[in-house]
Amino acid sequence: SLAVLYWNRVPGTSVLVRPGKKMENSAVVKADSPFTGFAGALAYGASGIAAQMLDSRDEISPNTGLGANKVWFFFSNHAALCLGHGITSVLPLRAETVVDQRLGGVETSPSFPESGVQKLEDVPSMTAGSFSYFFPSGGPLRGARKAGKDGGYTLWFDHGLKASNASYAYGVLPGSDAQALKMAAEGKTLRILAHTARAMAVRDERNGETGYAFFAPAEVDDFSAARPCIAWARQEGNLRILRVSDPAQVRDDLTVRLRGLWKAVDLPPRI
């Protein structure tokens, strides 16, 4: 685990900046809320996907007023790609998505000044300590450093005041291999197939593994879902294996379709 500057700005969360109050973060989900039931994960070996739907109408969550569809894709080589869309605030507050923030003297490249906010819209990738980040869609990326013994650095997307259908995309790689980072930033290893408020999908170009998150009925390439769900696809020889999950679990039926001619087979227990 990493020590952070602010526990209410945990990396990966989307937050509303409330003047005079602590920032609230999207990690808090109340089970009895009617609007935040879509939150869950699906694993396939060392790979997997996690997704969360925030609803701005939710009056129970401390993040009331913020809507967002968020997905984290994890791949077997320890890389991760994080996507978000539909980020909307019904309140006149600034919305942000926190990429990283850590306590202590973390070396970054590019470096940040020890005061003020650095605009990083044109930065395709960067390193911070033992992690590397890449930003396949650019966007309003910001960086700041706080000096002193209780200092550190923060990296975030600034979605602005009263955000409307904003989005973000960033990837995380362990280590700082320059060639691996360059290929990831150019989309040569992890390719985004869909990035909308309705559906998001990412394919690992090295082995064909693909993760899908549907927040509404939609189709991505040859795969479609009739209602919100998450799925993972893997090719093993002449088998295409799909794992599908319904994080909301409010209905007994879930219809997905895969275009083409396919034959259903019984899989061994290990699959």
Side-chain angles (χ1 to χ4, degrees), residues 170-188:
Y170 67 93
V172 186
L173 293 175
S176 55
D177 184 293
Q179 183 60 25
L181 185 57
K182 181 176 183 295
M183 292 183 65
E186 294 173 351
K188 293 180 179 178

PDB file of all heavy atoms in Angstrom, residues 170-188:
ATOM      1  N   TYR A 170      -6.685   6.607 -18.703  1.00  0.00           N
ATOM      2  CA  TYR A 170      -5.275   6.528 -18.335  1.00  0.00           C
ATOM      3  C   TYR A 170      -4.912   5.084 -18.038  1.00  0.00           C
ATOM      4  O   TYR A 170      -5.756   4.277 -17.643  1.00  0.00           O
ATOM      5  CB  TYR A 170      -4.948   7.429 -17.131  1.00  0.00           C
ATOM      6  CG  TYR A 170      -5.578   7.027 -15.816  1.00  0.00           C
ATOM      7  CD1 TYR A 170      -4.893   6.213 -14.911  1.00  0.00           C
ATOM      8  CD2 TYR A 170      -6.846   7.473 -15.463  1.00  0.00           C
ATOM      9  CE1 TYR A 170      -5.464   5.860 -13.690  1.00  0.00           C
ATOM     10  CE2 TYR A 170      -7.423   7.134 -14.252  1.00  0.00           C
ATOM     11  CZ  TYR A 170      -6.726   6.321 -13.374  1.00  0.00           C
ATOM     12  OH  TYR A 170      -7.291   5.964 -12.171  1.00  0.00           O
ATOM     13  N   GLY A 171      -3.644   4.765 -18.276  1.00  0.00           N
ATOM     14  CA  GLY A 171      -3.155   3.424 -18.029  1.00  0.00           C
ATOM     15  C   GLY A 171      -2.047   3.435 -17.008  1.00  0.00           C
ATOM     16  O   GLY A 171      -1.364   4.452 -16.806  1.00  0.00           O
ATOM     17  N   VAL A 172      -1.851   2.292 -16.348  1.00  0.00           N
ATOM     18  CA  VAL A 172      -0.826   2.153 -15.318  1.00  0.00           C
ATOM     19  C   VAL A 172       0.033   0.942 -15.640  1.00  0.00           C
ATOM     20  O   VAL A 172      -0.487  -0.145 -15.924  1.00  0.00           O
ATOM     21  CB  VAL A 172      -1.447   1.980 -13.918  1.00  0.00           C
ATOM     22  CG1 VAL A 172      -0.355   1.979 -12.851  1.00  0.00           C
ATOM     23  CG2 VAL A 172      -2.480   3.069 -13.641  1.00  0.00           C
ATOM     24  N   LEU A 173       1.347   1.125 -15.605  1.00  0.00           N
ATOM     25  CA  LEU A 173       2.291   0.031 -15.817  1.00  0.00           C
ATOM     26  C   LEU A 173       3.249  -0.041 -14.629  1.00  0.00           C
ATOM     27  O   LEU A 173       3.690   0.997 -14.122  1.00  0.00           O
ATOM     28  CB  LEU A 173       3.119   0.251 -17.088  1.00  0.00           C
ATOM     29  CG  LEU A 173       2.411   0.211 -18.434  1.00  0.00           C
ATOM     30  CD1 LEU A 173       3.391   0.582 -19.540  1.00  0.00           C
ATOM     31  CD2 LEU A 173       1.822  -1.158 -18.689  1.00  0.00           C
ATOM     32  N   PRO A 174       3.588  -1.238 -14.179  1.00  0.00           N
ATOM     33  CA  PRO A 174       4.607  -1.350 -13.129  1.00  0.00           C
ATOM     34  C   PRO A 174       5.983  -1.088 -13.726  1.00  0.00           C
ATOM     35  O   PRO A 174       6.257  -1.473 -14.872  1.00  0.00           O
ATOM     36  CB  PRO A 174       4.464  -2.799 -12.658  1.00  0.00           C
ATOM     37  CG  PRO A 174       3.948  -3.531 -13.852  1.00  0.00           C
ATOM     38  CD  PRO A 174       3.068  -2.561 -14.587  1.00  0.00           C
ATOM     39  N   GLY A 175       6.852  -0.423 -12.987  1.00  0.00           N
ATOM     40  CA  GLY A 175       8.189  -0.146 -13.485  1.00  0.00           C
ATOM     41  C   GLY A 175       8.201   1.038 -14.430  1.00  0.00           C
ATOM     42  O   GLY A 175       7.219   1.760 -14.592  1.00  0.00           O
ATOM     43  N   SER A 176       9.344   1.230 -15.083  1.00  0.00           N
ATOM     44  CA  SER A 176       9.498   2.396 -15.954  1.00  0.00           C
ATOM     45  C   SER A 176      10.259   2.037 -17.222  1.00  0.00           C
ATOM     46  O   SER A 176      11.158   2.749 -17.654  1.00  0.00           O
ATOM     47  CB  SER A 176      10.231   3.522 -15.213  1.00  0.00           C
ATOM     48  OG  SER A 176      11.475   3.055 -14.703  1.00  0.00           O
ATOM     49  N   ASP A 177       9.906   0.888 -17.843  1.00  0.00           N
ATOM     50  CA  ASP A 177      10.512   0.480 -19.104  1.00  0.00           C
ATOM     51  C   ASP A 177      10.069   1.437 -20.205  1.00  0.00           C
ATOM     52  O   ASP A 177       8.883   1.514 -20.549  1.00  0.00           O
ATOM     53  CB  ASP A 177      10.084  -0.952 -19.441  1.00  0.00           C
ATOM     54  CG  ASP A 177      10.761  -1.469 -20.706  1.00  0.00           C
ATOM     55  OD1 ASP A 177      10.461  -0.946 -21.788  1.00  0.00           O
ATOM     56  OD2 ASP A 177      11.589  -2.393 -20.584  1.00  0.00           O
ATOM     57  N   ALA A 178      11.009   2.199 -20.759  1.00  0.00           N
ATOM     58  CA  ALA A 178      10.678   3.256 -21.713  1.00  0.00           C
ATOM     59  C   ALA A 178       9.995   2.720 -22.967  1.00  0.00           C
ATOM     60  O   ALA A 178       9.034   3.311 -23.468  1.00  0.00           O
ATOM     61  CB  ALA A 178      11.943   4.029 -22.089  1.00  0.00           C
ATOM     62  N   GLN A 179      10.470   1.583 -23.503  1.00  0.00           N
ATOM     63  CA  GLN A 179       9.889   1.033 -24.718  1.00  0.00           C
ATOM     64  C   GLN A 179       8.469   0.520 -24.461  1.00  0.00           C
ATOM     65  O   GLN A 179       7.562   0.746 -25.278  1.00  0.00           O
ATOM     66  CB  GLN A 179      10.762  -0.098 -25.260  1.00  0.00           C
ATOM     67  CG  GLN A 179      10.279  -0.695 -26.584  1.00  0.00           C
ATOM     68  CD  GLN A 179      10.214   0.324 -27.713  1.00  0.00           C
ATOM     69  OE1 GLN A 179      10.927   1.330 -27.697  1.00  0.00           O
ATOM     70  NE2 GLN A 179       9.360   0.072 -28.683  1.00  0.00           N
ATOM     71  N   ALA A 180       8.268  -0.165 -23.347  1.00  0.00           N
ATOM     72  CA  ALA A 180       6.926  -0.662 -23.012  1.00  0.00           C
ATOM     73  C   ALA A 180       5.952   0.488 -22.817  1.00  0.00           C
ATOM     74  O   ALA A 180       4.796   0.421 -23.254  1.00  0.00           O
ATOM     75  CB  ALA A 180       6.990  -1.522 -21.757  1.00  0.00           C
ATOM     76  N   LEU A 181       6.417   1.559 -22.199  1.00  0.00           N
ATOM     77  CA  LEU A 181       5.570   2.721 -21.967  1.00  0.00           C
ATOM     78  C   LEU A 181       5.215   3.398 -23.286  1.00  0.00           C
ATOM     79  O   LEU A 181       4.074   3.806 -23.502  1.00  0.00           O
ATOM     80  CB  LEU A 181       6.278   3.695 -21.031  1.00  0.00           C
ATOM     81  CG  LEU A 181       5.481   4.922 -20.589  1.00  0.00           C
ATOM     82  CD1 LEU A 181       4.189   4.508 -19.904  1.00  0.00           C
ATOM     83  CD2 LEU A 181       6.327   5.791 -19.654  1.00  0.00           C
ATOM     84  N   LYS A 182       6.185   3.504 -24.191  1.00  0.00           N
ATOM     85  CA  LYS A 182       5.941   4.130 -25.501  1.00  0.00           C
ATOM     86  C   LYS A 182       4.906   3.335 -26.292  1.00  0.00           C
ATOM     87  O   LYS A 182       3.985   3.904 -26.890  1.00  0.00           O
ATOM     88  CB  LYS A 182       7.252   4.226 -26.280  1.00  0.00           C
ATOM     89  CG  LYS A 182       7.129   4.881 -27.648  1.00  0.00           C
ATOM     90  CD  LYS A 182       8.498   5.017 -28.299  1.00  0.00           C
ATOM     91  CE  LYS A 182       8.428   5.742 -29.634  1.00  0.00           C
ATOM     92  NZ  LYS A 182       7.670   4.985 -30.645  1.00  0.00           N
ATOM     93  N   MET A 183       5.037   2.010 -26.300  1.00  0.00           N
ATOM     94  CA  MET A 183       4.093   1.175 -27.037  1.00  0.00           C
ATOM     95  C   MET A 183       2.692   1.262 -26.442  1.00  0.00           C
ATOM     96  O   MET A 183       1.694   1.304 -27.169  1.00  0.00           O
ATOM     97  CB  MET A 183       4.573  -0.270 -27.045  1.00  0.00           C
ATOM     98  CG  MET A 183       5.828  -0.501 -27.854  1.00  0.00           C
ATOM     99  SD  MET A 183       6.321  -2.243 -27.900  1.00  0.00           S
ATOM    100  CE  MET A 183       4.931  -2.971 -28.809  1.00  0.00           C
ATOM    101  N   ALA A 184       2.614   1.321 -25.118  1.00  0.00           N
ATOM    102  CA  ALA A 184       1.307   1.445 -24.472  1.00  0.00           C
ATOM    103  C   ALA A 184       0.663   2.785 -24.800  1.00  0.00           C
ATOM    104  O   ALA A 184      -0.538   2.853 -25.093  1.00  0.00           O
ATOM    105  CB  ALA A 184       1.457   1.274 -22.973  1.00  0.00           C
ATOM    106  N   ALA A 185       1.457   3.849 -24.759  1.00  0.00           N
ATOM    107  CA  ALA A 185       0.928   5.182 -25.049  1.00  0.00           C
ATOM    108  C   ALA A 185       0.438   5.295 -26.487  1.00  0.00           C
ATOM    109  O   ALA A 185      -0.493   6.055 -26.782  1.00  0.00           O
ATOM    110  CB  ALA A 185       2.001   6.238 -24.775  1.00  0.00           C
ATOM    111  N   GLU A 186       1.028   4.531 -27.398  1.00  0.00           N
ATOM    112  CA  GLU A 186       0.629   4.553 -28.812  1.00  0.00           C
ATOM    113  C   GLU A 186      -0.499   3.566 -29.113  1.00  0.00           C
ATOM    114  O   GLU A 186      -0.925   3.436 -30.254  1.00  0.00           O
ATOM    115  CB  GLU A 186       1.841   4.227 -29.691  1.00  0.00           C
ATOM    116  CG  GLU A 186       2.928   5.302 -29.636  1.00  0.00           C
ATOM    117  CD  GLU A 186       4.192   4.894 -30.380  1.00  0.00           C
ATOM    118  OE1 GLU A 186       4.282   3.710 -30.786  1.00  0.00           O
ATOM    119  OE2 GLU A 186       5.074   5.752 -30.552  1.00  0.00           O
ATOM    120  N   GLY A 187      -0.999   2.867 -28.092  1.00  0.00           N
ATOM    121  CA  GLY A 187      -2.097   1.930 -28.280  1.00  0.00           C
ATOM    122  C   GLY A 187      -1.707   0.638 -28.963  1.00  0.00           C
ATOM    123  O   GLY A 187      -2.566  -0.067 -29.507  1.00  0.00           O
ATOM    124  N   LYS A 188      -0.437   0.289 -28.918  1.00  0.00           N
ATOM    125  CA  LYS A 188       0.034  -0.916 -29.598  1.00  0.00           C
ATOM    126  C   LYS A 188      -0.073  -2.175 -28.731  1.00  0.00           C
ATOM    127  O   LYS A 188       0.055  -3.283 -29.248  1.00  0.00           O
ATOM    128  CB  LYS A 188       1.483  -0.721 -30.044  1.00  0.00           C
ATOM    129  CG  LYS A 188       1.636   0.343 -31.127  1.00  0.00           C
ATOM    130  CD  LYS A 188       3.087   0.508 -31.535  1.00  0.00           C
ATOM    131  CE  LYS A 188       3.222   1.549 -32.644  1.00  0.00           C
ATOM    132  NZ  LYS A 188       4.637   1.766 -33.032  1.00  0.00           N
TER     133      LYS A 188
END
